[in-house]
Amino acid sequence: FWWRHKTNTKKKDESSPFNERTLRQFIATHPRKQALLAVLGGAHGSDWQVEEVSDGNINYVFVVTGPKGSLCVKQSVPHLRKFTAFKLSEMRVFFEYSALKLHNRLAPSLSPSAVLFDGGHNAIVMECLRPHIILRRGLMQQQQYPQLSEHVGEFLARSLFFTSDWGMPAADKRQLVHKYSGNSFMCRLTEEVVFTCPYSTHPSFPNSVSPGLAAVAEAVIGDTALKQRVSELKLLFLSSCEALCHGDPAHRQPDGDTNNTKVIDAEFAFMGPVAFDPALFVANLMLAYFASGPSTQHHEECQQEQQCQQAGGRHEEWILQCAVEVWEKFSLKFCRLWAQRDKAAAGGGGGREQQEQQEQQAEQEEQEDQEEGGGGGDKAATAVGNGDAYPPALFTSSSSSSSSS
């Protein structure tokens, strides 16, 4: 109710997308300006460079660079950027921030650090990931990432285990279910795009099919057994609330460094089946596999066509191996966390001191969250704090330390 009231009563300057001038003003006048200046340096708008780096149709993304460093500002708007008639829920940025804060606790080295959330402007300020690029682009360029399966397996295991009944008390799990049920609009998009549109010819669900794939699309749409199985999976997606799923596991990899991974863009976060995130990531690897082949640049560098084919084949083999390793490492790490949880529970008093320390840490972070969100976002930040202050039982194994972007 609060969010609906807040978004319906925004001032014009709060609901409008940032530009260079208004973003500088936002930083210079924000109640938590000191937290921003600690990263950026400088003190006035003229000290900062603002660059829009948006590459999608949903959000505005800016990089702000100061004398000391850079920050990323992500702002949601209530519609698609190019098609304003297509409405979106502004609440998605609230759930993304909430999930990001949780990921910062559970997998700090694998997620960008959240700095603050501002509900009045629907904006998140977070760590700037440069020179990272979207993993999809790296795969298109036939980049190989030796630590990708290890990092993804670690992130999936920790983020899913510690938000499930295996890793947290049932009462607090119910609070998570209640909280993320508010992100139903983004869940509906996933439901339609993943489980409905590709298998339907109804005009409400238009498909864009490349001419060369028309026969394949017709075969898929006409496969009754396949659609029955997809319907079963769709029911599981709608009804299972096993853990907090990322919902759209996008990853960034740094140029020139194949051993650093960050998981971003959790605006589709929802409580769903544990297998959804691993399956969606593997599915994206499969898309990369079928789309793989020698790149134009690589083709020009090759002296013979056969060399190009061999290079493309090696990349395809690596993608398949990565898909297998992601599942193996995820399942192994998940089971290890489960075993550690049981061992800690059986140990009794031995883990009590650690739990008390973790409880104090959670309370301190909750207080910090309540102080965030100036400019109309104070109540939203309080809601994030209340929702993220999970009991110490969540943290039964130590997190890896944070790494630089």
Side-chain angles (χ1 to χ4, degrees):
F1 169 80
W2 172 83
W3 191 280
R4 289 196 300 271
H5 170 74
K6 199 66 187 173
T7 54
N8 288 336
T9 58
K10 284 178 183 174
K11 299 178 182 179
K12 182 178 180 180
D13 61 334
E14 286 187 331
S15 59
S16 301
F18 285 131
N19 54 42
E20 290 190 20
R21 179 187 61 80
T22 57
L23 184 51
R24 287 191 179 98
Q25 183 181 13
F26 169 82
I27 295 172
T29 60
H30 198 277
R32 295 200 63 212
K33 178 176 66 174
Q34 295 306 316
L36 304 177
L37 299 186
V39 178
L40 295 174
H44 307 286
S46 58
D47 298 328
W48 310 311
Q49 294 181 348
V50 177
E51 177 187 4
E52 184 181 355
V53 296
S54 312
D55 60 357
N57 193 29
I58 296 181
N59 303 299
Y60 288 84
V61 182
F62 301 87
V63 171
V64 183
T65 303
K68 291 177 61 177
S70 300
L71 287 171
C72 176
V73 180
K74 182 175 181 179
Q75 185 183 32
S76 67
V77 291
H79 50 74
L80 291 180
R81 294 180 57 180
K82 296 181 180 178
F83 307 99
T84 57
F86 190 96
K87 301 303 180 182
L88 296 171
S89 170
E90 292 176 289
M91 290 183 68
R92 65 187 188 274
V93 71
F94 168 83
F95 293 107
E96 177 176 356
Y97 174 82
S98 180
L100 179 58
K101 289 285 286 185
L102 183 54
H103 294 158
N104 286 169
R105 293 185 193 170
L106 300 180
S109 66
L110 299 172
S111 55
S113 300
V115 178
L116 62 84
F117 166 74
D118 189 286
H121 293 84
N122 298 320
I124 305 174
V125 182
M126 67 187 88
E127 173 188 3
C128 179
L129 298 180
R130 280 191 167 178
H132 288 65
I133 62 171
I134 293 291
L135 173 62
R136 179 180 65 255
R137 295 180 182 174
L139 295 178
M140 292 171 63
Q141 298 167 5
Q142 297 193 1
Q143 292 279 347
Q144 295 185 13
Y145 302 97
Q147 295 298 313
L148 180 61
S149 59
E150 175 70 23
H151 292 163
V152 173
E154 177 78 9
F155 175 85
L156 293 174
R158 295 190 63 82
S159 63
L160 293 168
F161 177 82
F162 287 117
T163 57
S164 71
D165 286 306
W166 293 281
M168 68 184 307
D172 299 287
K173 160 75 179 312
R174 294 188 188 99
Q175 290 182 13
L176 270 186
V177 173
H178 174 72
K179 177 178 182 177
Y180 283 91
S181 64
N183 206 18
S184 58
F185 183 90
M186 303 303 285
C187 286
R188 192 188 74 180
L189 291 181
T190 303
E191 172 194 338
E192 294 178 352
V193 172
V194 176
F195 296 103
T196 305
C197 294
Y199 315 96
S200 175
T201 58
H202 194 278
S204 298
F205 304 109
N207 284 311
S208 177
V209 180
S210 301
L213 296 177
V216 177
E218 291 178 4
V220 169
I221 293 174
D223 192 332
T224 302
L226 173 63
K227 292 195 289 186
Q228 180 178 351
R229 179 57 180 150
V230 171
S231 296
E232 295 171 358
L233 294 176
K234 181 178 178 180
L235 178 61
L236 185 63
F237 174 84
L238 293 172
S239 59
S240 176
C241 298
E242 291 180 330
L244 179 61
C245 300
H246 182 287
D248 184 25
H251 300 71
R252 279 190 176 270
Q253 301 285 156
D255 277 338
D257 181 0
T258 59
N259 296 312
N260 190 309
T261 305
K262 297 287 187 179
V263 184
I264 61 171
D265 292 350
E267 59 191 344
F268 284 86
F270 74 106
M271 294 298 291
V274 166
F276 183 81
D277 275 355
L280 195 61
F281 184 79
V282 170
N284 278 281
L285 289 180
M286 291 298 97
L287 288 176
Y289 169 79
F290 285 109
S292 67
S295 64
T296 302
Q297 179 182 0
H298 188 72
H299 182 79
E300 293 174 351
E301 294 173 353
C302 290
Q303 297 179 353
Q304 298 178 0
E305 178 69 18
Q306 184 179 3
Q307 291 177 328
C308 289
Q309 293 175 352
Q310 291 175 350
R314 289 193 296 269
H315 183 64
E316 293 172 0
E317 292 174 1
W318 175 81
I319 292 177
L320 292 178
Q321 182 63 30
C322 183
V324 173
E325 291 179 355
V326 164
W327 177 259
E328 290 178 343
K329 293 180 183 296
F330 158 70
S331 56
L332 176 63
K333 293 175 183 291
F334 191 98
C335 291
R336 283 179 177 174
L337 290 172
W338 194 354
Q340 292 172 8
R341 167 68 185 253
D342 289 345
K343 183 177 180 180
R352 182 59 186 170
E353 181 178 351
Q354 181 183 6
Q355 287 189 352
E356 289 178 351
Q357 294 176 354
Q358 291 164 342
E359 183 175 9
Q360 293 175 359
Q361 178 184 358
E363 291 176 352
Q364 180 180 356
E365 292 179 352
E366 178 182 1
Q367 179 63 33
E368 292 176 356
D369 280 338
Q370 291 176 350
E371 294 173 356
E372 291 182 1
D378 53 336
K379 295 186 180 179
T382 302
V384 173
N386 291 337
D388 281 351
Y390 301 119
L394 267 173
F395 305 93
T396 55
S397 63
S398 60
S399 302
S400 57
S401 61
S402 299
S403 65
S404 60
S405 60

